[in-house]
Amino acid sequence: MAAKHWSKMQERGNRLGMQILLFSYRILGRKGLWIILFPVVFYLFLTGKTARRASYAFLTQVRKVNGNDKVVTWRDSFRHFRCFADSAFDKIDAWLARIPQSNISYTNEALFIELDEHAQGAIFIGSHLGNLEVCRALSQHRSSKVINVLVFTHHAVEFNKLLKSINPDVAINLIQVTDLGPDMAIMLKDKVEQGEIVVIVGDRTSTTTAGRVIEADFLEKPAPFSQGPFILAALLDCPVFHLFCLKDKTADGKVFYRVIFEKYADKLVLPRKTRQQTLHKIVSDYAQRLSYYAAAYPYQWFNFYDFWQNDEHVSRDQNKEN
């Protein structure tokens, strides 16, 4: 049986469940809700064969890269699942403005300030490492820039709508896309020219078409990366940044968030004669930065499928989890 594409994995959750989560969180707080949520997360761990297998494989590869020969156990994988569940609370905290500025560390913040001061648009290429939702909300404390977030699943749209209902003043536009076609590119270019930000993830392959990928080394193994986000970045003709938001701890155990801006280029140019070579270099550079942070923060890797699978061998017409 062909492997399943990430976009066709059954989304385990619905809007009602999200609303119950939010209501319970407001009543019980983080620690109180975890008492109730723990058995739910454990059930999802036990029954999520595909996600559990992917977690084992990813953590094993990270340890290999980091020179750690310790065998990954079910406890390590369950910790991975718990971190994913806990990230939902981080999102809610951010949108409720419960994260104080003292708990936020900005790397290269001057780059973002410069964009703001010059009313310049840009594209931020993020990932499913860490918590981009936290980064989106936190940025509103520092800037009035409109942020346009491209999302690729219905579940992501619903969860973000729920978050926005918590704080409707946050200037976030959610744009659900299935394909990055010409019409979408024209609309986004208009937004960038008005000084707005476009956020897209670079670590998910096309939801509709197989093979539109560039293979690049990720944690010392070739993995498929979609060409779409990087071609879009070139079409928008604007500054390009890599963006990460990672949860960390100080030496004394205090939790804080690292919001990392890394400027990649003033604009991306894909010359006709060397288009594929140039595109491969751009994607490889992104994969290298993603590898660097994934190796440092492995439990914040929230791609629970075989990330190294051959994209052309992946089925896009299945609807239930194996």
Side-chain angles (χ1 to χ4, degrees), residues 49-62:
K49 180 180 177 182
T50 300
R52 191 175 64 247
R53 188 166 53 219
S55 173
Y56 273 95
F58 172 77
L59 294 176
T60 297
Q61 186 63 23
V62 167

Side-chain angles (χ1 to χ4, degrees), residues 112 115-116 118-124 143-149 171-175 187-199 236 238-239 241:
F112 189 81
L115 282 177
D116 204 22
H118 291 83
Q120 187 175 25
I123 183 167
F124 291 172
S143 167
S144 59
K145 268 190 177 296
V146 175
I147 300 178
N148 303 280
V149 181
I172 300 286
N173 290 329
L174 301 171
I175 303 173
M187 180 190 72
L188 295 176
K189 185 168 179 57
D190 182 60
K191 291 182 177 297
V192 166
E193 288 176 349
Q194 294 178 46
E196 299 180 12
I197 300 295
V198 172
V199 180
L236 295 185
C238 66
F241 294 80

